[in-house]
Amino acid sequence: MTTDSIEATERLNAVRETMGRAARLTGRTAADITLIAVSKTQEAAAIRPLIAAGQRSFGENRVQEAQGKWPELRAETPDIALHLVGQLQSNKAADAVALFDVIHSLDRPSLLTALAKAMDAAGKRIPCFIQVNIGAEEQKGGCAIADTPALLRAARDADIPVAGLMCVPPADVEPAPYFALLAKMAREEGVDRLSMGMSGDFETAIMLGATDIRVGTALFGERPAPARSLPGSGRGMIRNSRAT
């Protein structure tokens, strides 16, 4: 076993142990929770040791990046489930439906229409989480809390399988109230799954009902800092950018 494989196994085991401790407090086990290894910006060489350690659910933020590495990785390990956890442009809906098994960022009617059309054309249905802008942050994607019931009904009417609700709480504040609010919304809307919790807060998320957690840094290590954009470039605002 290589050094990379040993490190990947140790990180994966540590995350699973923490998942288990948190899950027991809610009468569940780690097996009841889907651990999504967020592999955005990671090259295939960094992903393979985690696959070898037994991880099977992975998440990507961008369709184009996923297209560049996952066809080969999935050919090597066909039972991988690939989740889109970042914002999705409507013009990428067909590509997303072709590549991903679950989409976590359905957040507006125009995207719903594009996804329904893409699913009809592909002859398959992809489970989608409704992403809620739980902190009402202008710079983030997500459906407004007040608009979520209507979007959920529209998705069901369009025969899009609604997996549950997803959120990215505001950074640098206690996330528990936001997780609790999302769980309350899920109960009211009759959906079972909650995609919430990342490397710094997934234990709290599990204790508040998370069924799907999106973990990157705790499994892959710290990512390089993104390059700073020049003032006035119009770039550098990243949606769904809170550390995973």
Side-chain angles (χ1 to χ4, degrees), residues 51 54-58 73-82 101:
I51 294 174
Q55 177 63 22
R56 288 297 181 269
S57 293
F58 288 83
L73 289 169
R74 297 184 89 176
E76 297 168 0
T77 311
D79 61 339
I80 283 173
L82 194 57
D101 299 294

Side-chain angles (χ1 to χ4, degrees), residues 19-33 203 205-211:
M19 290 171 61
R21 288 195 302 270
R24 284 192 292 273
L25 295 175
T26 64
R28 298 181 292 167
T29 69
D32 297 318
I33 298 152
E203 189 171 5
I206 290 171
M207 289 189 286
L208 289 168
T211 60

Side-chain angles (χ1 to χ4, degrees), residues 13-72:
N13 287 342
V15 169
R16 286 176 173 170
E17 288 174 8
T18 302
M19 290 171 61
R21 288 195 302 270
R24 284 192 292 273
L25 295 175
T26 64
R28 298 181 292 167
T29 69
D32 297 318
I33 298 152
T34 299
L35 169 61
I36 302 164
V38 179
S39 50
K40 66 178 183 181
T41 75
Q42 303 291 342
E43 297 183 356
I47 297 170
R48 286 191 176 97
L50 205 55
I51 294 174
Q55 177 63 22
R56 288 297 181 269
S57 293
F58 288 83
E60 290 284 340
N61 270 36
R62 297 174 63 244
V63 173
Q64 186 172 355
E65 181 183 345
Q67 288 173 321
K69 59 189 175 186
W70 278 104
E72 179 180 355

Side-chain angles (χ1 to χ4, degrees), residues 44-187:
I47 297 170
R48 286 191 176 97
L50 205 55
I51 294 174
Q55 177 63 22
R56 288 297 181 269
S57 293
F58 288 83
E60 290 284 340
N61 270 36
R62 297 174 63 244
V63 173
Q64 186 172 355
E65 181 183 345
Q67 288 173 321
K69 59 189 175 186
W70 278 104
E72 179 180 355
L73 289 169
R74 297 184 89 176
E76 297 168 0
T77 311
D79 61 339
I80 283 173
L82 194 57
H83 299 244
L84 178 63
V85 298
Q87 289 301 114
L88 177 61
Q89 297 176 355
S90 296
N91 63 3
K92 294 290 185 180
D95 291 335
V97 167
L99 182 59
F100 291 93
D101 299 294
V102 186
I103 293 171
H104 289 242
S105 50
L106 173 53
D107 64 353
R108 58 196 187 278
S110 60
L111 178 58
L112 186 156
T113 299
L115 284 171
K117 181 178 179 180
M119 291 181 196
D120 288 341
K124 62 179 180 179
R125 315 314 282 181
I126 306 296
C128 295
F129 285 85
I130 303 293
Q131 182 181 348
V132 181
N133 188 346
I134 203 71
E137 298 175 275
E138 292 184 1
Q139 78 277 16
K140 279 186 180 175
C143 182
I145 291 173
D147 296 336
T148 299
L151 184 62
L152 197 153
R153 288 194 300 270
R156 288 168 170 162
D157 290 344
D159 197 27
I160 291 179
V162 177
L165 302 181
M166 177 271 216
C167 75
V168 182
D172 303 322
V173 298
E174 171 55 50
Y178 299 97
F179 293 153
L181 176 56
L182 194 74
K184 177 177 180 290
M185 293 176 64
R187 290 192 298 271

